[in-house]
Amino acid sequence: MSENNPEIGRSIVAAGIRTNYHDMGNGFPVLLIHGSGPGVSAWANWRLVMPKLAEKCRVIAPDMVGFGFTERPQGYTYSMDNWVQHALGLLDALGLEKVDLVGNSFGGALSLALTIRHPHRVRRLVLMGSAGVHFEITPGLDAVWGYTPSFENMRKLMDLFAWNRNLVNDELAELRYRASIRPGFQESFAAMFPAPRQRWVDALASPEAAIRAIPHETLVIHGREDRIIPLETSLKLSQWIARSQLHVFGRCGHWTQIEHADRFARLVSDFFAEASIDEPHPLEGTA
């Protein structure tokens, strides 16, 4: 970890991309995939829960290509296919045959796609405030993806993310605004989700039949007051995935892992602790 910036962790080449990632703890590996907010990094997304999860697991949290401090190749195409390849490349580079997977928002959509396409690389799946199914884009998500850098705009976004007003202050908004204007950050972000943005909601979605065929034990988590990704997406996922359970946090927005960090970490740790290392995947005969 960098002494000057805790967002900078270790570095490894994954799928040909120099990748910034955090790696802490011991035990069965857990891959955390962050969301798609402006200026986001794995550290910003997961900083409160990584130490708690690392008490029982090996926690790996990368900056996905296009975000944070991972290399941004010139002319790179930001697509689900390429994000899946980047995630797989990281697992291969680290020599990880199978992981538990936690995806937040955009990261949930990516985790769904990775699980569907490479089921044997995933043991258990956690989807938190997840995209990955069709929904009518919310004004909140449209604002997030349409962000243009200013302190005022970032302050408005912070108000959308959190239900708990005590978590949102000018200091946090200033920190995230500064993160959003680092060299290359806004350029790649603006290139990902240009208007009209409903098409990017749909591009992140996996086919219903493929989601219904997921055999993995899955924990679906959502904040009841989420103004970015509607609660209906997690209700749908919990109905479609046969071996799923749903936990809805009341008095919580899109930041479950921040607004309810301790509860989130306990819930996820307990869910992973239920699994055996070679938990079977009944790929045939799923309900």
Side-chain angles (χ1 to χ4, degrees), residues 30-34 46 80 100-116 122 124-133 204 206 210-212 214 216-223 226 229-231 233-249 254 256-257 264 267-268 271-272:
V30 176
L31 180 65
L32 306 179
I33 303 183
H34 59 72
W46 302 112
M80 185 56 77
D100 288 331
L101 192 52
V102 183
N104 169 29
S105 195
F106 152 84
L110 174 49
S111 297
L112 266 177
L114 178 60
T115 301
I116 288 166
V122 178
R124 286 193 162 202
L125 176 63
V126 177
L127 303 171
M128 186 189 85
S130 182
V133 297
L204 292 178
S206 292
I211 296 173
R212 287 184 179 275
I214 289 174
H216 303 66
E217 291 286 345
T218 302
L219 174 61
V220 184
I221 300 172
H222 216 105
D226 193 333
I229 306 290
L231 175 59
T233 64
S234 283
L235 297 175
K236 190 177 290 186
L237 286 166
S238 71
Q239 290 164 354
W240 288 358
I241 300 173
R243 291 176 175 81
S244 69
Q245 50 189 288
L246 173 66
H247 191 105
V248 179
F249 285 93
H254 194 54
T256 308
Q257 83 285 15
F264 175 87
L267 187 66
V268 171
F271 177 67
F272 290 152

Side-chain angles (χ1 to χ4, degrees), residues 11-14 16-20 63 69-72 86:
S11 182
I12 197 169
V13 175
I17 296 163
R18 175 63 62 181
T19 300
N20 179 56
D63 290 347
F69 294 87
T70 286
E71 176 189 10
R72 293 165 165 78
H86 184 216

Side-chain angles (χ1 to χ4, degrees), residues 25-160:
N26 296 290
F28 195 84
V30 176
L31 180 65
L32 306 179
I33 303 183
H34 59 72
S36 62
V40 75
S41 68
W43 179 260
N45 211 155
W46 302 112
R47 66 191 182 280
L48 297 183
V49 298
M50 283 197 293
K52 296 178 175 69
L53 293 174
E55 291 173 7
K56 297 180 180 178
C57 308
R58 179 185 175 188
V59 176
I60 297 149
D63 290 347
M64 297 307 298
V65 61
F67 298 97
F69 294 87
T70 286
E71 176 189 10
R72 293 165 165 78
Q74 191 72 29
Y76 191 83
T77 299
Y78 296 106
S79 68
M80 185 56 77
D81 288 346
N82 285 339
W83 279 312
V84 167
Q85 287 308 309
H86 184 216
L88 273 182
L90 179 66
L91 299 187
D92 291 344
L94 293 173
L96 300 175
E97 187 60 36
K98 186 180 291 187
V99 296
D100 288 331
L101 192 52
V102 183
N104 169 29
S105 195
F106 152 84
L110 174 49
S111 297
L112 266 177
L114 178 60
T115 301
I116 288 166
R117 300 177 193 191
H118 303 277
H120 293 287
R121 303 300 295 269
V122 178
R123 185 179 70 163
R124 286 193 162 202
L125 176 63
V126 177
L127 303 171
M128 186 189 85
S130 182
V133 297
H134 172 80
F135 62 92
E136 186 174 336
I137 192 168
T138 60
L141 181 57
D142 202 39
V144 169
W145 281 350
Y147 168 82
T148 54
S150 75
F151 168 80
E152 292 75 18
N153 287 346
M154 184 59 80
R155 187 68 173 80
K156 291 175 185 173
L157 287 192
M158 296 294 99
D159 284 331
L160 289 173

